[in-house]
């Protein structure tokens, strides 16, 4: 299957700082990537849809000014958590869509665990 | 009503048995259905995708889809302790890009 990477895998930061997470599709081009957040013992919650060359589409309740998304190329999307606070501590996972004719499949990155102190 | 519903479990089966995981969805026009496996602390891994009614087999895994009943299931034959994980059912919405809607997952425990 297709490979999606994320960097960093772990980040610990102080409250008020900004953190950037990278998501890369390694062996395919992805016009669409998704960003999810998962709190302990909960399922994945979609935060936003990242589209190459255009603005991201955010899900209801997700602050676009706090979670900045940039999809600058067909293989890279970044999520920046601005002015992070302890309640932003979570497991952030990206996925990339691999086009396969009429059928598309999402492949997930390994995730980034964020701890805000 | 949740869009995608799964029994949270845990579902406990002995090694070698068949594990049956079930999922129902509310959006009748859902098009694509996926099963992901998630180990604790890891991201989801795609196990199966299914798009049309009936069964789809891949190794020890069989996905079953019944659109009339809005029901999708995953059977794991010859269950192994390494299959112990949370299994997430996901469906695509009928509009927009392939936005997946996830169930809360069923935790499977396979005992040796």
């Amino acid at each position: 299957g297709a490979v999606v990477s994320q960097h960093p895998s772990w980040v610990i930061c102080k409250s008020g700082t900004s953190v950037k997470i990278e998501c890369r599709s390694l062996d395919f081009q992805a016009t669409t990537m998704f960003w999810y957040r998962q709190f302990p013992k909960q399922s994945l919650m979609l935060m936003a849809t990242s589209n190459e060359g255009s603005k991201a589409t955010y899900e209801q309740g997700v602050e676009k000014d706090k979670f900045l998304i940039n999809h600058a190329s067909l293989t890279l999307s970044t999520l920046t958590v601005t002015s992070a606070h302890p309640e932003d501590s979570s497991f952030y996972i990206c996925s990339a869509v691999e086009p396969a004719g009429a059928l598309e499949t999402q492949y997930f990155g390994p995730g980034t665990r964020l701890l805000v102190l | 009503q949740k869009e995608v519903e799964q029994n949270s479990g845990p579902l406990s089966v002995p090694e070698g048995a068949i594990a049956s995981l079930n999922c129902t969805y509310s959006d009748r026009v859902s098009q694509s259905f996926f099963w992901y496996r998630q180990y604790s602390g890891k991201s989801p891994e795609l196990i199966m995708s299914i798009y049309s009614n009936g069964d789809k087999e891949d190794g020890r895994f069989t996905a079953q889809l019944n659109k009339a009943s809005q029901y999708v299931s995953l059977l794991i034959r010859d269950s192994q302790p390494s299959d112990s994980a949370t299994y997430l059912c996901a469906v695509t919405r009928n509009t927009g890009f392939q936005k997946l809607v996830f169930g809360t997952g069923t935790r499977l425990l396979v005992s040796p």
Side-chain angles (χ1 to χ4, degrees), chain B residues 34-103:
Chain B
F34 304 87
W35 282 99
Y36 286 86
R37 177 175 63 195
Q38 187 175 27
Y39 292 111
S40 180
K42 303 294 185 181
S43 68
E45 171 192 9
L46 181 66
I47 298 295
M48 293 280 287
S49 60
I50 187 166
Y51 305 97
S52 55
N53 281 326
D55 294 359
K56 179 181 177 182
E57 186 174 319
D58 183 1
R60 295 187 296 114
F61 300 97
T62 299
Q64 299 173 319
L65 175 61
N66 184 324
K67 289 188 177 181
S69 300
Q70 295 174 236
Y71 172 92
V72 58
S73 66
L74 179 70
L75 300 178
I76 306 175
R77 289 180 298 281
D78 189 24
S79 296
Q80 301 296 309
S82 58
D83 294 327
S84 298
T86 296
Y87 289 80
L88 302 169
C89 172
V91 306
T92 57
R93 291 173 179 165
N94 61 326
T95 59
F97 297 100
Q98 295 287 326
K99 297 170 70 171
L100 289 172
V101 179
F102 282 90

Side-chain angles (χ1 to χ4, degrees), chain A residues 6 31-32 34 36 38 41-44 46 49 51 57 59 91 93 97 102-111 113, chain B residues 6 32 34 36 38-46 49 51 88-89 92-93 97-105 107:
Chain A
Q6 274 184 251
T31 55
T32 304
F34 297 94
Y36 296 84
Q38 186 177 35
K41 299 191 186 302
Q42 295 185 23
S43 192
L44 282 76
L46 179 65
T49 303
N51 304 303
T57 304
E59 295 299 300
F91 190 36
I93 309 172
V97 178
L103 302 174
E104 298 179 336
T105 301
Q106 279 191 45
Y107 292 95
F108 286 83
R113 201 163 295 279
Chain B
Q6 294 180 256
S32 304
F34 304 87
Y36 286 86
Q38 187 175 27
Y39 292 111
S40 180
K42 303 294 185 181
S43 68
E45 171 192 9
L46 181 66
S49 60
Y51 305 97
L88 302 169
C89 172
T92 57
R93 291 173 179 165
F97 297 100
Q98 295 287 326
K99 297 170 70 171
L100 289 172
V101 179
F102 282 90
T104 53
R107 187 169 169 226

Side-chain angles (χ1 to χ4, degrees), chain A residues 17-87:
Chain A
T17 59
S18 294
V19 175
K20 179 186 281 188
I21 303 170
E22 292 186 349
C23 177
R24 293 181 185 272
S25 56
L26 297 185
D27 50 2
F28 65 98
Q29 294 184 329
T31 55
T32 304
M33 292 184 176
F34 297 94
W35 287 96
Y36 296 84
R37 182 167 54 179
Q38 186 177 35
F39 292 106
K41 299 191 186 302
Q42 295 185 23
S43 192
L44 282 76
M45 295 300 297
L46 179 65
M47 298 176 67
T49 303
S50 172
N51 304 303
E52 188 269 336
S54 64
K55 291 184 178 180
T57 304
Y58 291 82
E59 295 299 300
Q60 190 173 8
V62 178
E63 299 175 56
K64 63 179 181 180
D65 294 330
K66 181 170 182 62
F67 299 99
L68 301 178
I69 292 172
N70 184 281
H71 195 151
S73 76
L74 288 172
T75 58
L76 174 64
S77 175
T78 61
L79 168 68
T80 301
V81 184
T82 62
S83 186
H85 288 95
E87 59 266 28

